[in-house]
């Protein structure tokens, strides 16, 4: 049985993954969605990786999926456990030694977001609005529920350098949501090519595509799994 290990982004709530987890469970897979202590000022990337590895336990045949900031933790898990496949969804793809706090300026995320706002008719100088960049494609029911699970992310993780000297030797795929306003798809394509030499596959939805389009994301994850399983 394949185990999907689902790592959330900033705030650390496993709840974010529940629609995708339900889809994958219905298809006969084991699912481990990990709660991370986002607000804890004493928890950095090593502690996050420890928590994920502990949650996995003695399970095998692992597919590790990291969302957004979770892209910093996911490769660390792959360096410690045998993993069949690593997938990054709207991910902050790290470089060796780079902190998540440095990632924004290194990748040019802010300029990319502003340029996308101009293209789509939003004021790039408007005050940052959570609904505009994260909740715009969710149902009202999902928006209400997300408010109950939303947490701040402490500076501890953002100050932790990515400790691996090289990307783990694991088949890796990158997924970009076409409607992501926070990490625009064009920006994600550039970063993925620059850092991993990978062209992302695209799914519908925004930055929280696992909430807005879980079936499409689960379908893509399954297609990756089948492709890797058929590799010689």
């Amino acid at each position: 049985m394949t185990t999907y290990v689902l790592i959330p982004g900033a705030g650390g709530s496993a709840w974010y993954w529940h629609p995708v987890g339900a889809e994958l469970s219905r298809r006969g897979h084991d699912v481990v969605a990990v709660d991370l202590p986002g607000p804890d000022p004493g928890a950095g990337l090593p502690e996050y990786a420890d928590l994920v590895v502990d949650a996995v336990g003695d399970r095998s045949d692992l597919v590790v999926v990291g969302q957004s900031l979770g892209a910093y933790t996911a490769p660390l898990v792959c360096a410690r456990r045998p993993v069949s496949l690593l997938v990054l969804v709207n991910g902050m793809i790290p470089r060796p030694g780079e902190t998540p706090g440095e990632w924004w300026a290194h990748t040019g995320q802010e300029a990319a977001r502003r340029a996308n706002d101009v293209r789509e008719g939003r004021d790039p100088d408007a005050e940052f609005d959570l609904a505009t960049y994260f909740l715009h494609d969710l149902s009202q029911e999902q928006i209400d529920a997300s408010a109950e699970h939303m947490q701040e992310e402490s500076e501890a993780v953002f100050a932790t350098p990515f400790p691996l000297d090289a990307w783990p030797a694991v088949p890796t795929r990158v997924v970009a949501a076409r409607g992501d306003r926070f990490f625009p798809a064009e920006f994600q394509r550039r970063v993925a090519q620059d850092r991993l030499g990978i062209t992302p596959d695209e799914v519908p939805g925004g930055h929280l595509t696992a909430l807005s389009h879980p079936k499409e994301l689960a379908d893509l994850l399954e297609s990756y799994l089948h492709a890797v399983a058929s590799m010689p």
Side-chain angles (χ1 to χ4, degrees), residues 171-224:
T172 302
R173 304 292 184 270
V174 178
V175 180
R178 285 189 288 271
D180 193 334
R181 297 176 178 177
F182 195 51
F183 297 168
E186 180 180 355
F187 162 76
Q188 293 195 53
R189 286 192 292 271
R190 173 174 60 78
V191 174
Q193 278 287 350
D194 179 48
R195 298 193 163 201
L196 295 177
I198 294 174
T199 299
D201 294 302
E202 296 187 10
V203 291
H207 197 66
L208 305 183
T209 186
L211 285 174
S212 61
H213 291 84
K215 183 180 184 302
E216 291 90 338
L217 182 53
D219 287 345
L220 186 56
L221 294 175
E222 287 284 77
S223 74
Y224 290 156

Side-chain angles (χ1 to χ4, degrees), residues 131 134-139 142 179 204-209 211-213:
F134 289 92
L135 309 177
H136 58 94
D137 62 336
L138 303 185
S139 69
Q142 288 173 320
H207 197 66
L208 305 183
T209 186
L211 285 174
S212 61
H213 291 84

Side-chain angles (χ1 to χ4, degrees), residues 6-12 16-17 36 45 48 65-75 86-94 100 103-104 109 133-134 153 157-158 162 167 174-177 180 182-183 187-188 191 206-210 217:
L6 307 179
I7 303 173
Y16 163 77
W17 283 110
L36 297 174
L45 289 175
Y48 279 23
V65 187
Q67 151 74 16
S68 194
L69 179 60
Y72 264 79
T73 301
L86 169 60
V87 184
L88 308 179
V89 181
N90 295 331
M92 294 173 62
I93 301 171
W103 180 90
W104 309 88
Q109 181 272 343
Y133 293 102
F134 289 92
E153 183 70 41
V157 164
F158 288 108
F162 184 67
W167 200 254
V174 178
V175 180
D180 193 334
F182 195 51
F183 297 168
F187 162 76
Q188 293 195 53
V191 174
H207 197 66
L208 305 183
T209 186
L217 182 53

Side-chain angles (χ1 to χ4, degrees), residues 62-99:
L62 305 179
V63 174
V64 177
V65 187
Q67 151 74 16
S68 194
L69 179 60
Y72 264 79
T73 301
L76 305 184
V77 177
C78 297
R80 294 174 53 178
R81 292 294 306 272
V83 172
S84 302
L85 175 66
L86 169 60
V87 184
L88 308 179
V89 181
N90 295 331
M92 294 173 62
I93 301 171
R95 278 183 170 155
E98 180 184 65
T99 69

Side-chain angles (χ1 to χ4, degrees), residues 44-56:
L45 289 175
E47 289 75 20
Y48 279 23
D50 288 345
L51 285 166
V52 177
V53 170
D54 288 346
V56 169

